[in-house]
Amino acid sequence: MKIFISHSSMNKTYGEALVNLLISIGIKEDDIIFTSNPAYGIPVGQNIFNWLRSQITENPFVIYLLSEEYYQSIACLNEMGAAWIVENKHAAIFTPDFNLSSKEFQNGALDPREIGFYIYDEERVLTFISLINDNFEITKSTLIISQSVKKFIKEINEIQIVKIPSEKPRVVKQPNRSEQTSQSSKAENKDFNNHTLKFQSLIINKKLKDEELILLHYIIDRNKFNLMTGWQETDEIDNIRQWEDINNIKPILSKNYSSILKRFEVRDFIEVSNITSYGNPKEFKVKGEIIIDLLDLNEGSKQEIQACLSRNFEDHVNQSTEW
């Protein structure tokens, strides 16, 4: 059996990262089909369509690297249809900006109720490795697997960080105190197309509630850009309670978690990243634009979050947070 990475050439960098991960955990190069790299692609002299058809009918394990570009490609959709007809074992992996609610995905050959995962989700990547271990010989070293996955996630994050600014140029302008009032009124009436400006304005101009600011701090402090919801919500709330206890923070985040998630979704800070077999959300991810800002907060935003924490320490304990 081989592993066939069905992908759009526009997502070549994500596919290359997957290939590197597979090889690092012990998958043989000859067992990988990745047409964007000649080393793993079509043999010289072979007709591409005939060769791919023969490979698919030999029942490879298919990795569908799903993206907007994938569903715009006739060649990709033909690959998906051919693999689906012969009922290959498969896994669906989503690129970071893929919209699970898109009509192409919801109405496509793949069953949207099947559980896929976003490519940057470390826990899901580990689960995926366990899945392919049933059909392929991989390293038995948990240390090598762990290191390989962490390197993979780092590579994916670097790809996304490079990609986002090229698509959405950042507007970085830190207002001084005299400008904040006027900017606040403009922010209420202007439709911000730039997530960064909108996000910074909401924090600096005190438009977020304390529990929302604390959730942002929780995300930064725990380096946690995926938030559980649905039937997994109680697990996330338990984690938050422990975090609140350790940091001596009043339990306003754990008590209001559900409503805060809804507000974050409405504010377009997060989006569904994983669904149940019934199509219900069970996980949200922080959007890429917001992740970049959280990793590089301006001083005004840091001060507002720190002031919020100071207001909400148990017994008003005087503590400080390192950024």
Side-chain angles (χ1 to χ4, degrees):
M1 179 181 284
K2 295 181 181 290
I3 294 178
F4 174 44
I5 303 176
S6 179
H7 70 290
S8 163
S9 59
M10 300 295 289
N11 305 132
K12 176 182 176 180
T13 50
Y14 292 120
E16 289 174 336
L18 271 172
V19 170
N20 293 337
L21 172 65
L22 294 173
I23 292 175
S24 68
I25 63 173
I27 302 295
K28 298 176 182 178
E29 294 182 6
D30 291 343
D31 289 338
I32 299 173
I33 305 170
F34 177 62
T35 56
S36 286
N37 186 329
Y40 309 97
I42 312 300
V44 176
Q46 291 277 358
N47 177 282
I48 182 171
F49 297 109
N50 291 339
W51 186 83
L52 280 176
R53 182 171 56 193
S54 70
Q55 293 297 315
I56 290 173
T57 55
E58 289 180 8
N59 293 317
F61 186 103
V62 181
I63 298 175
Y64 297 102
L65 186 54
L66 300 183
S67 65
E68 180 181 352
E69 294 82 9
Y70 188 99
Y71 281 96
Q72 291 174 350
S73 167
I74 294 176
C76 288
L77 295 179
N78 286 341
E79 288 176 7
M80 177 186 287
W84 178 76
I85 287 172
V86 297
E87 298 183 344
N88 294 82
K89 292 184 178 181
H90 63 270
I93 302 179
F94 313 129
T95 57
D97 53 357
F98 182 59
N99 181 7
L100 293 179
S101 300
S102 66
K103 63 180 182 180
E104 292 83 5
F105 175 61
Q106 292 295 321
N107 299 320
L110 293 180
D111 187 346
R113 294 173 298 178
E114 291 186 5
I115 297 175
F117 63 93
Y118 278 94
I119 196 168
Y120 55 75
D121 190 323
E122 184 172 342
E123 292 183 7
R124 300 296 189 274
V125 172
L126 288 168
T127 302
F128 162 71
I129 291 174
S130 297
L131 175 66
I132 63 174
N133 188 37
D134 294 338
N135 299 102
F136 298 89
E137 186 175 342
I138 66 173
T139 178
K140 299 295 191 295
S141 171
T142 56
L143 179 59
I144 291 177
I145 292 175
S146 176
Q147 290 177 341
S148 297
V149 171
K150 289 186 183 300
K151 181 179 179 182
F152 171 73
I153 297 300
K154 182 176 183 292
E155 187 175 352
I156 294 301
N157 288 336
E158 288 173 350
I159 292 171
Q160 186 65 359
I161 287 172
V162 169
K163 182 180 178 183
I164 290 172
S166 66
E167 294 179 343
K168 299 183 178 182
R170 297 185 66 183
V171 178
V172 180
K173 183 178 185 297
Q174 174 64 39
N176 57 41
R177 294 294 178 183
S178 62
E179 293 175 329
Q180 285 183 6
T181 302
S182 61
Q183 285 196 5
S184 176
S185 60
K186 290 179 181 178
E188 294 176 353
N189 298 305
K190 183 176 181 179
D191 179 17
F192 287 101
N193 293 321
N194 185 289
H195 280 269
T196 299
L197 183 56
K198 175 182 178 181
F199 180 68
Q200 292 178 354
S201 295
L202 288 171
I203 296 176
I204 294 172
N205 294 317
K206 307 181 189 300
K207 298 298 183 181
L208 299 184
K209 294 186 176 182
D210 277 8
E211 52 264 39
E212 291 179 283
L213 293 174
I214 292 174
L215 178 54
L216 291 178
H217 182 60
Y218 171 74
I219 292 169
I220 297 168
D221 189 50
R222 296 289 304 276
N223 194 31
K224 186 175 179 57
F225 300 107
N226 291 73
L227 301 166
M228 292 182 281
T229 187
W231 64 269
Q232 299 186 116
E233 190 167 295
T234 54
D235 292 336
E236 191 74 75
I237 292 174
D238 286 342
N239 292 336
I240 291 172
R241 285 198 185 103
Q242 294 177 21
W243 177 81
E244 289 170 334
D245 289 341
I246 291 170
N247 292 278
N248 204 35
I249 296 173
K250 293 178 180 178
I252 63 172
L253 174 56
S254 55
K255 290 181 178 179
N256 297 281
Y257 178 71
S258 296
S259 61
I260 303 168
L261 277 188
K262 291 177 182 177
R263 290 205 293 271
F264 268 36
E265 189 176 18
V266 170
R267 294 187 189 281
D268 208 22
F269 291 171
I270 59 175
E271 60 187 353
V272 174
S273 58
N274 213 332
I275 56 177
T276 67
S277 58
Y278 295 98
N280 298 316
K282 69 173 188 177
E283 184 181 79
F284 286 100
K285 70 164 184 174
V286 180
K287 289 198 167 183
E289 302 93 327
I290 304 302
I291 291 176
I292 289 179
D293 279 300
L294 287 175
L295 295 175
D296 187 25
L297 283 174
N298 57 53
E299 287 304 316
S301 297
K302 290 180 182 179
Q303 290 172 9
E304 290 301 327
I305 293 176
Q306 182 59 59
C308 169
L309 293 174
S310 297
R311 290 193 298 271
N312 289 283
F313 283 132
E314 289 283 11
D315 300 325
H316 301 284
V317 174
N318 185 20
Q319 300 187 29
S320 61
T321 303
E322 293 184 3
W323 296 87

